[in-house]
Amino acid sequence: MTLRSYPRFITLEGGEGAGKSTVLTALRDVLASQAHDLVVTREPGGTPLAEQIRGLLLDTHHEPPTTEAELLLVFAARAQHVRETIVPALERGAWVISDRFTDASYAYQGTARGGDMAFIGELERRVVGIAPGMTLLLDVPVAVGLQRARGRGAADRIEAEREDFFERVREGYLARAKAEPARFRVIDATQPAQDVATQAVAHLREWIGANA
Ligand SMILES: Nc1ncnc2c1ncn2[C@@H]1O[C@H](COP(=O)(O)OP(=O)(O)OP(=O)(O)O)[C@@H](O)[C@H]1O
Ligand SMILES: [Mg+2]
């Protein structure tokens, strides 16, 4: 079974503090101003149950999940998100922008945690089944992203990882982008937020022009 790619499904990826949520606001404005039906969502999360799973994943006060438990929780949340939120929206013709999606599992649970990539691929095919048409990867050196993220307050369980973990996350994302150059747009996110947003919006406009 191969993945079904939806042109109107766009994802934002990048490490902690890369600026995904900041860029999302600019993309939302573009689509909203063109009166497109738009669903903005995020992972882990995007449905009430999946948001509860997010809480379990990011919680720092209780027993940490093992690598395998973390992987399965992430995919449990994604299964719910895909069936309940993303696919229904795409099927009615809406645009969907998600702050993170399956690429994040390859980068975090795969490359960074050393999870089994073939198993992640199997979960992607059997549990997720869909892929974004375009993915914007905000690439930033780890120290820069962490400084931005930590400026926001207490670290969650993932944010509290060591720097070498995030170096592997970054490598994992760049490897994904290299393997699928037609889907990915890599943006240098060390630039001022306004410039990052301008480039992301330009990619979006070009994509809408080709796929509206
Ligand atoms: N290009 C930029 N230059 C400087 N600061 C930025 C830039 N983009 C975002 N910021 C700031 O860095 C912080 C993190 O940005 P943001 O929350 O958008 O990152 P994120 O990728 O969504 O992080 P997370 O992975 O933790 O959700 C915010 O305070 C934001 O205002
Ligand atoms: Mg964010």
Side-chain angles (χ1 to χ4, degrees):
M1 192 174 86
T2 54
L3 303 176
R4 173 160 181 195
S5 171
Y6 284 90
R8 293 187 179 190
F9 182 29
I10 294 169
T11 57
L12 271 168
E13 299 284 358
E16 316 299 309
K20 297 178 296 299
S21 302
T22 304
V23 162
L24 199 61
T25 311
L27 299 184
R28 182 205 305 256
D29 290 348
V30 168
L31 282 161
S33 72
Q34 302 194 3
H36 287 292
D37 182 2
L38 171 66
V39 172
V40 175
T41 187
R42 70 167 182 182
E43 289 212 340
T47 83
L49 176 61
E51 290 288 334
Q52 282 191 292
I53 296 172
R54 178 191 182 92
L56 295 175
L57 283 162
L58 299 183
D59 176 43
T60 54
H61 298 101
H62 298 97
E63 177 192 0
T66 65
T67 299
E68 293 77 13
E70 178 180 293
L71 175 65
L72 293 171
L73 283 169
V74 168
F75 273 92
R78 183 166 300 128
Q80 196 71 13
H81 189 207
V82 166
R83 291 313 146 226
E84 296 296 324
T85 303
I86 298 175
V87 167
L90 293 169
E91 289 295 330
R92 71 166 191 261
W95 287 78
V96 176
I97 304 182
S98 186
D99 185 337
R100 298 187 184 282
F101 196 60
T102 310
D103 292 305
S105 290
Y106 284 98
Y108 283 78
Q109 283 75 45
T111 310
R113 291 244 191 263
D116 181 338
M117 289 293 199
F119 184 46
I120 294 174
E122 191 69 12
L123 287 168
E124 181 180 31
R125 285 185 295 277
R126 298 175 70 117
V127 173
V128 181
I130 65 165
M134 180 172 74
T135 297
L136 302 177
L137 173 59
L138 304 186
D139 181 53
V140 80
V142 171
V144 176
L146 286 182
Q147 197 173 357
R148 287 181 192 166
R150 285 176 182 159
R152 279 182 322 210
D156 64 35
R157 190 179 62 85
I158 303 293
E159 286 170 352
E161 284 289 341
R162 293 151 37 112
E163 290 218 9
D164 60 323
F165 175 86
F166 296 110
E167 292 290 356
R168 293 196 298 277
V169 168
R170 186 182 185 198
E171 279 169 30
Y173 271 132
L174 289 171
R176 298 285 296 162
K178 203 172 164 192
E180 284 188 66
R183 173 164 65 90
F184 275 89
R185 310 284 183 275
V186 182
I187 299 175
D188 171 6
T190 59
Q191 304 170 91
Q194 188 55 53
D195 296 359
V196 174
T198 300
Q199 283 166 34
V201 165
H203 286 305
L204 178 65
R205 287 192 194 285
E206 196 188 341
W207 187 253
I208 293 173
N211 293 284

